[in-house]
Amino acid sequence: GETYGGEFISEHSHKGVEMAYQILGKTLFRYGKEEWEINEGDLVYFDSSVPHSVAALGHVKFVTIYFRK
């Protein structure tokens, strides 16, 4: 995907796991009660049953793979 700033995935949860690779830019990843800044080249893998959301901090490109149960 690609976006140009602001929250682009509102808080949600679902069964399964996700893996996301940050191609360009930075995002703020909220997972449960924690927050992480994700940068170019970072890969995240997480249990998607935990509420999560993502906000773009500028121009962002990413790839996400969903493994749903």
Side-chain angles (χ1 to χ4, degrees), residues 11 17 21 37 39 44 55 63-64 66:
E11 187 175 283
V17 295
Y21 177 70
E37 187 175 286
N39 298 292
V44 294
V63 174
T64 302
Y66 305 94

Side-chain angles (χ1 to χ4, degrees), residues 1-9 20-31 34-44 46 53-64:
E2 183 173 19
T3 191
Y4 289 90
E7 186 167 322
F8 65 99
I9 301 175
Y21 177 70
Q22 188 79 25
I23 298 168
L24 174 73
K26 294 181 182 182
T27 56
L28 181 62
F29 176 61
R30 295 179 185 98
Y31 184 75
E34 300 183 43
E35 291 185 346
W36 288 282
E37 187 175 286
I38 308 300
N39 298 292
E40 285 181 34
D42 287 348
L43 178 71
V44 294
F46 59 95
S53 65
V54 181
L57 304 175
H59 183 203
V60 172
K61 290 184 181 181
F62 60 95
V63 174
T64 302

